[in-house]
Each structure stands twice: as structure tokens, then as C-alpha cells.
Amino acid sequence: MPLEGYISADGPYTGLTKDQLLECAYRPAWVRVRYMLLIAYWVGWATMLAAAITLIAMTPKCSTPKPLQWWQLSPVYQVYPLSYQDSNQPPDGVGDIRGIESRLDYIKDLGVGAIWLSPIYKSPMKDFGYDVEDFRAIAPVFGTMEDFRSLSEALKERGLKLVMDFIPNHSSNLHKWFQRSIKKQDPYTHYYVWADAKGFESDGKPVPPNNWMSVFGGSAWEWNEDRRQYYLHQFLKEQPDLNYANPLVLQEMKDVLRFWLDEGVDGFRMDAVAHLFEDEELRDEPINEEGTSEDEDAIVAYQDLDHIYTYNLPQVLEVLREFRILLDEYSNTETKIMMTEAYMPVRNLMEYYGNKSTPIAHFPFNFEFIELKKKNLTAESVHNVIKSWMDNLPNGAWPNWVIGNHDNSRVATRFGSELVDAINMIILLLPGTPVTYNGEEIGMEDTAVSWEETKDTFGINAGPVNYKKVSRDPERTPIQWTAGKNAGFSNANRTWLPVNPNYPKLNVEAQLDATWSHLRVYKLLTQARKEEAVMNGKLDVQVLDKKVLAFTRVKEGFPGYLVVVNFLDDKVTVDLTTLRHVPEESTVYTFSTTYATNFTMKKRIANSAVVLPGKGGLVLTFVPEFQETSIPL
């Protein structure tokens, strides 16, 4: 169309009319332009949609952690029944089941999730219940089966779990199985490990089958005149070893587990499991070059032999696997836990976890902290203990941390009372399940108790821990509840073990009333375990300036936690900003009792210059800093 049709020759431009616009719009050139723009729009839109879908698909997912189970969420609290609380009327100076029940509100308030009961089975008490006369009965000194059921119900009402000690390696020599085995009454004839004498001396005295030694010293063999054979006892002579080469024995012990599971027990701590099997050929064990005897030819202690024929034989794991299968059968609604006790190098102990297809223990006890001695307790040694366990841990396995039990000196005695809070900070905030021996939450100390004083107390006899007859009682004395008579443990004139003389000042009641105390720190730590970073966060452990241990627990999107401990006697100042994810400032969550009383919680501090007193421990919270990562387009 000519230009004159749109522009007047004698006037300014007046625009296009509607008809002219329509006429122009339908020209072939403009139609092509419109189609091209429309196609470009949809192609662009489709490209952006595809890119968005691709980005979503390629972006790493934030995996939802598998929900933790009851035995992973909270500490396990070991209760030593003889020393927890005497409830008898009149009082007899010995702890009992009803006494434990009377203290459950205290246990609940600690923030623990389960109690593990040391043995309460019917027993002559030659070894504090580890010489079991009847695996299905309660020792009268502790109460009755009705008392046990009452305790079990009271625990459930408070949301607490009950774990029992299980002693699979041996029974009492008074057990009916052993008495019938002596007489060769089937099927009990081979329920125990019997062997003929190697020979007889000129005076007719029998010679043991081999050189095997008892853990407590002396030969592991005891002659039985009635049967005219030796029986094996890797512990006391009153504790004959069961014979797991006999399938009937395994079946009997599985039936014992079923009995207690049917009573509502939530799991077992299995004692001395590495001793379950012995060499069937009864070969002599080789001399341990690192043994304790001064005379190279003398074998006087358990440590003098290398126990390749009596300890941790391959069949042990097979039996434990059978126990685990049984527990899993009872785990339809909630897991029935299996914890195992064995002392050996970490790498070997990891076999007790089993694997994903054939699990064994939920966890074998980690005694690495107990193995540390005061003289070699440093930031570096603790770092190595943590790294050793975590680095050797099988894929998917759950860690645990044990700092004390009824067989080892208390933390305050081993490491010093100043470090009680710091050690609790470490084990309670590391990944895994911490196990607390009763009394460690208030920093109880060993009590001076000699073997002669306690070798026959109230009919209870511990037996020597070794051939030198050293008492195992110092860490087993009564819990110190109050400053009253017998520390509030019992109103009896005499308690089965003496109460530590420091009880007027070191007791639960005093620490609950104090402005700051071991107990208050402990309870704050169990509360912190409920936080996402502590439950499911990553762990980073470092040694700062060769003297301070520090570790962080972080998970993106949640507050982080930082534990820092000074193992030196002197005050130190450290820069925590060198740790990953740690910002310039953090907030004090809790601190050890070694700090000055004017130090406060919720205080903001600069992470570049954190002051720690001698033996001081500190827990900080912070907002973790994560490096921004670019998403490729």
C-alpha cells in the first residue's frame, strides 16, 4: 500500500485506523513474524521447564535419617543392685529391687532411657550374682519375682527400658545341672567341660589336663572326686564353665532368654562372652612374653599365657548369632537389644557387630576409655580412642562409650575428680550410646576397702580379682544419696560395704541443691542429646595446640554443638575458629565445675580466644557456617 494512504500531504501524521492495522497485520511478512515469536516463546518456556526438572533431579537430596531406636536415643544407666537402695523393713544394709523402684523418679530425671541391672539371679553370691544357681529365679537378698515384676511395670510407666545381665559362660557349682552332671545323669552328663587327669603324682594327686589358667589365678581345672574328673572354670572354682559344644546347652540358655523376654525384659548385657568356647583338644596355651611373672618358667597368673585356645574362638560368634536371632524374634514392636562384654583389640571387637545380613550384637561394649590410665590421659590419647573406634566401626554400625563399671575404679579416682564433668561431656555428646555406671553422675570416688574386710560380708563374697587377692569392692560401695545416716542408702547399723567417708559433702541431695554441680552438668548433657545435631549430626574431632581436645556435632539447618576439654592442670586459651563450621561467636551451653562460680550459661563468647581452666570442660552452641556451593546450570 502506498505511503500516501497513511500520511496526509497537507497535515501531520494522524496514525493508522483500525481497518488499516488489520490490513497490515495479515500481510504474510507479519504473520511469519508472529508465528516465529510464538514458537520462540513456547520453545523457551519448554527449555526452562526441562532445565528446572533437570536441576531438581540432579541436586543432591537431603537424606532423611532413619529414626533412631530407644537404645540409641539416651544413655544406658547401670544399676548395681546391692549398693543402690536398701528398702527392707527392718533394713539389712543390702540394696534390693524395691529400693531400685523407689529411686526410679531420680533415674528418669537424669535423662537416661534404660537401666541395666547387674545380676539379681538366685546365687550363693560368691561372685555377686555371677555364679548363678537358678537362671529363672531372683536371689532372696534382692526380693521376689513379684518385686521384679513391680519394678518392670514401674519402669514402663516412666518410659524406661529394662536390660538384664545374662551370664552365658558358666553357672554356680550348686546349679542342678552341675550337680546332675557330676553324677553323669543324662542329659546333663556333658553340660560342662569335663576332662580326665593328665596323670597322677606318686601320692595319687591328679595332674590337671593342661596349663590353662583361671582369670582369678591358679589352674582353670578343679578336680571332682565323685566324678573322678576335672571340670573347667575360667573364673572361680564355684563357677564351672558350660559346654557349648553340646547343643543342649545352647538350647537351655536360649530358653532362659525366652523366659525373661516373656517377663517383659527389653534386652541383655551378655557377660564374658569371649570365654564361651575352648579348644576341644585341650592343647597347652603358649607363654605370653609380656606376662607378669618374674620367673620366665613360672605360670602364676592369667596374664602369663597367650589365650589362643580359651578366648575368642570363632564359635563364639556363632552362638552369639543364635542369641541375636532369638532376640529379633521378640522385636516385632520394639527392638530387644544385645550388648556384649569382651576385652580385646578394637579391630577384633568389631567382629561382634556382625554385618548387615548377619547381625550379632547391637554393640559390643567399648572399653577404650576404661583402658586409659591417669598418667596417659591427654587430649591426644582421648582423640586416638575416639578415632580408633569410629574409624574401625563397620558401615552402619552404632558406636558406644563406656567410662566405668562395677569392675573398674571410678572415673573420679582414675582420672581425678576435676575431670568428671569433662569426661561426661565427651561420652554424652559423641555419636553413639553412652553407658553410665551409677554414681558417676555425681562424681563418686572409690572407697578404701580391703579384701580381708569384705571376703565374707552378709554371706556375700566377691572373690579375688586376681591371685594377689585384691578386693574388687572400692567402686561398688553404696550410692551416696544424702548427708544422713549411711548416706541415705540404708538405716541399718551396718551396710554390706562401708559408705565412702566423703558422703556428707558428696551426695545427690547436696548436688541437687547446689548452684552448680556434677549432677546439674550431667542432666544438661542428657538434654542436649535430644538435639538434631547431636543425634544425627557429623563429628569432627581435633586436638588444638597439642593440649586441648575439641569436637563439633553439626547438621545443616540446626544449631551446632562444640565440646572443648583442657586436660592440663594449667589454664589455657584456644582459638576455636580454626574448626570447621565454627563462627566468630558462640553461646555457652554448659561448663564444668572447675570454672569460677561467676561463669554463666547463655553467655556469648568470642571463639577466637576461649579460656579454659585446668581440667576444664566447656560445651558451646553455635550457628554452623557452611560454605555455599554453586549448582551447575
Side-chain angles (χ1 to χ4, degrees), residues 378-431:
T378 64
E380 189 69 36
S381 65
V382 174
H383 173 270
N384 292 341
V385 161
I386 296 170
K387 292 289 288 181
S388 173
W389 193 269
M390 298 303 292
D391 290 349
N392 282 284
L393 197 67
N395 186 35
W398 186 256
N400 74 98
W401 312 96
V402 183
I403 56 168
N405 59 27
H406 59 290
D407 284 329
N408 293 276
S409 286
R410 290 190 172 277
V411 171
T413 299
R414 287 204 320 275
F415 301 142
S417 59
E418 301 92 343
L419 277 171
V420 166
D421 299 322
I423 298 297
N424 277 330
M425 289 172 181
I426 293 170
I427 72 151
L428 287 169
L429 297 184
L430 282 171

Side-chain angles (χ1 to χ4, degrees), residues 27 55 247 253 296 342 399 405 454 545 557 616:
R27 284 184 177 183
L55 286 174
M253 298 308 282
E296 293 183 359
N405 59 27
T454 62
D545 300 333

Side-chain angles (χ1 to χ4, degrees), residues 168-169 234 242 244 272-278 310 316 319-320 323:
N169 180 70
Q234 293 196 62
L242 289 161
Y244 278 88
V273 293
H275 294 274
L276 292 180
F277 278 89
E278 305 79 30
T310 59
V316 168
V319 165
L320 292 178
F323 290 156

